[in-house]
Amino acid sequence: MTRTVIRGGLVITAAEEVAADVLIEGEQVVALAATGSWVAEGWSAERVIDASGKYVIPGGVDAHTHMELPFGGTAASDTFETGTRAAAWGGTTTIVDFAVQSVGRSLREGLDAWQAKAEGNCAIDYAFHMIMSDVTENSLKEMDLLVDEGVTSFKLFMAYPGVFYSDDGKILRAMQQGADNGGLVMMHAENGIAIDVLVEQALAAGRTDPRYHGEVRHELLEAEATHRAIRLAEVAGSPLYVVHVSSESALAELAAARDRGLNVFGETCPQYLFLSTDNLAEPAFEGAKYVCSTPLRPEEHQVALWRGLRTNDLQVVSTDHCPFCFSGQKELGRGDFSKIPNGLPGVENRMDLLHQAVVEGRISRRRWVEIAAATPARMFGLYPRKGTIAPGSDADIVVYDPNATQTMSAATHHMNVDYSAYEGLVVRGKAATVLSRGTVVVEGDTYLGRAGHGRYQARATCQYLI
Ligand SMILES: [Zn+2]
């Protein structure tokens, strides 16, 4: 069993910042001791990583990715192999991706298909949520089985009629089942029926540019759906996790529900914190690069979302990583914004963008680790194996250089996509060394990982329920 010591860094978890050395045996952390102490000095190891002047943080947990997702006649351009490798480069060591149930098929068939795509291909550890596209007597029963075997969260859609959409009755049934079996319902909260009317009207009036994607997916239709999802969960007595919250009014619904003591949680994504409708309005169809749903909002919403992260009305930042190349994929929507595949790349950028928020004084260092690693791990039943640095935890660790400077660019990123949503953005901070279960997978500018190192993670239920 290989022994590794990480010496001289500032260990930052959601709870503490301590000057400590970290001892790893095999795949796990076994001890922390004060740097320079008799105990720490006494540790001998085959490998010593010098972390002086650097942070030692738990590897990022990205609880929302869509590798290889089929969408709008094409598929997300990152495979499990390329996407998890890019994640590792960016200091993320666990992803929770979404297996998809197709209409007319069982949950099991969808899960098996996604397990087959991922198995043997991932550079880092991975787990699955289940997208329920077809709530039936049978799929409701299947939910119980999936919870028992470690797929403990189920995403439903109030948007995308004819594809993923569930009506309120189906949503209520899935929530009731979740209330019984401990499964957490995740909601894409946008009123898709109303949005489709606005899409039709916009196209008929010749408003076909990418920026109209943001207009028809009206903020109030996100807020309305968020409110409805909360009330349905309240009726069912179930917890609720709202994915990719992008607007101030939707956030207000979450805050009000939490103030009433409900088990309602919210996630936002870097694109809503760093980008806006100005990007969607970029000329020459460049706006298509920023088409995702929920859509980017006017800049003032960013302020509200940062506040929500500080006040804990939002608890998690995930990426909703779902990349499509500009050339050949985003271009499917030239002349009709509704045909632009929805999604942005980001799995490699999340940890660094959020660190930049630390640099700018928007959040603290511990809050950075909390929203990007600890809370997603707790929310989805992976803690303390993931999301912290403690005896018994997996040695998923990033030695992070807070003083490095990098320029985000498609020319240098590792995601399999021909553009960066943050092209030219200069940020401070970069992963120097990344360990996944005790194995160094990234060292400086060298990738040392391999496809198949990543292991499937069965999950417990949400650890926040009261
Ligand atoms: Zn998604």
Side-chain angles (χ1 to χ4, degrees):
M1 198 178 275
T2 309
R3 279 164 67 103
T4 304
V5 185
I6 303 174
R7 291 214 186 270
L10 180 68
V11 177
I12 305 172
T13 63
E16 315 281 358
E17 298 188 0
V18 289
D21 293 3
V22 180
L23 180 63
I24 298 163
E25 276 182 13
E27 300 194 339
Q28 291 190 330
V29 173
V30 293
L32 280 77
T35 298
S37 67
W38 176 80
V39 172
E41 294 294 316
W43 290 340
S44 63
E46 285 92 331
R47 182 173 52 201
V48 176
I49 298 172
D50 178 12
S52 48
K54 300 193 174 73
Y55 301 155
V56 179
I57 59 169
V61 177
D62 192 339
H64 192 155
T65 68
H66 297 283
M67 306 304 172
E68 307 181 46
L69 177 75
F71 189 97
T74 183
S77 58
D78 260 322
T79 61
F80 278 90
E81 182 173 351
T82 63
T84 57
R85 191 167 60 211
W89 273 106
T92 286
T93 52
T94 306
I95 61 164
V96 191
D97 203 272
F98 288 84
V100 180
Q101 176 202 22
S102 308
V103 176
R105 302 291 181 86
S106 65
L107 299 184
R108 172 69 54 196
E109 284 172 89
L111 182 58
D112 286 351
W114 257 258
Q115 289 278 17
K117 292 181 203 216
E119 199 185 345
N121 292 319
C122 293
I124 53 165
D125 289 351
Y126 62 98
F128 288 111
H129 311 286
M130 190 80 224
I131 286 178
M132 281 185 90
S133 313
D134 201 359
V135 178
T136 62
E137 205 67 4
N138 239 335
S139 58
L140 287 167
K141 283 193 202 123
E142 282 191 285
M143 282 174 81
D144 298 356
L145 301 173
L146 261 57
V147 168
D148 286 344
E149 66 184 68
V151 177
T152 56
S153 38
F154 301 86
K155 185 178 180 188
L156 285 102
F157 289 77
M158 303 169 110
Y160 302 127
V163 189
F164 298 129
Y165 174 83
S166 291
D167 65 29
D168 292 351
K170 289 179 174 178
I171 288 168
L172 182 69
R173 282 183 197 279
M175 287 174 165
Q176 288 171 331
Q177 202 78 16
D180 275 352
N181 64 27
L184 177 60
V185 168
M186 308 170 75
M187 190 63 69
H188 180 130
E190 281 188 298
N191 186 328
I193 301 283
I195 285 169
D196 275 9
V197 171
L198 298 181
V199 169
E200 204 183 299
Q201 290 169 347
L203 293 175
R207 296 192 291 268
T208 62
D209 288 345
R211 69 190 170 101
Y212 295 107
H213 170 84
E215 293 188 12
V216 299
R217 305 191 84 91
H218 202 289
E219 176 196 348
L220 295 180
L221 297 177
E222 183 190 357
E224 182 276 326
T226 304
H227 178 83
R228 188 156 34 100
I230 291 166
R231 289 303 194 185
L232 290 169
E234 198 172 357
V235 168
S238 78
L240 173 69
Y241 178 94
V242 181
V243 295
H244 50 55
V245 176
S246 71
S247 71
E248 181 167 18
S249 51
L251 172 57
E253 296 289 348
L254 290 176
R258 290 176 61 79
D259 286 349
R260 290 193 295 117
L262 299 177
N263 279 321
V264 170
F265 309 101
E267 160 199 282
T268 191
C269 311
Q271 54 268 33
Y272 308 118
L273 297 165
F274 288 88
L275 304 172
S276 74
T277 43
D278 292 352
N279 299 99
L280 266 178
E282 285 178 16
F285 198 63
E286 292 278 310
K289 294 175 176 176
Y290 307 96
V291 165
C292 57
S293 296
T294 54
L296 302 183
R297 302 294 182 190
E299 210 175 301
E300 57 266 26
H301 292 265
Q302 295 173 1
V303 179
L305 296 175
W306 285 117
R307 188 175 61 232
L309 283 171
R310 278 195 302 275
T311 58
N312 206 40
D313 287 319
L314 295 169
Q315 300 81 35
V316 172
V317 177
S318 312
T319 57
D320 198 4
H321 177 77
C322 193
F324 296 97
C325 288
F326 183 73
S327 161
Q329 292 194 297
K330 290 289 188 181
E331 283 180 331
L332 293 169
R334 267 192 204 276
D336 178 351
F337 69 83
S338 74
K339 294 202 165 60
I340 301 169
N342 285 201
L344 292 190
V347 75
E348 186 173 353
N349 305 128
R350 182 184 66 128
M351 297 300 284
D352 294 327
L353 288 167
L354 292 176
H355 180 261
Q356 182 61 21
V358 173
V359 171
E360 291 171 7
R362 295 179 187 279
I363 52 173
S364 70
R365 292 187 291 213
R366 276 172 290 149
R367 186 62 175 161
W368 169 49
V369 171
E370 190 167 34
I371 62 181
T375 300
R378 283 196 168 111
M379 190 68 69
F380 298 109
L382 289 163
Y383 196 90
R385 196 175 359 139
K386 308 297 187 189
T388 192
I389 298 176
S393 295
D394 282 353
D396 288 3
I397 295 179
V398 178
V399 178
Y400 196 83
D401 183 354
N403 297 310
T405 296
Q406 59 170 315
T407 305
M408 292 187 174
S409 173
T412 49
H413 74 201
H414 303 87
M415 299 177 283
N416 184 39
V417 60
D418 63 1
Y419 74 96
S420 169
Y422 308 97
E423 187 67 40
L425 182 69
V426 179
V427 295
R428 225 163 81 203
K430 192 179 193 308
T433 306
V434 180
L435 292 92
S436 165
R437 279 184 286 105
T439 298
V440 175
V441 293
V442 175
E443 173 79 80
D445 293 321
T446 310
Y447 178 71
L448 299 170
R450 64 174 176 87
H453 166 80
R455 207 178 278 159
Y456 173 68
Q457 304 289 309
R459 296 183 289 115
T461 54
C462 175
Q463 295 163 334
Y464 280 107
L465 302 188
I466 41 173

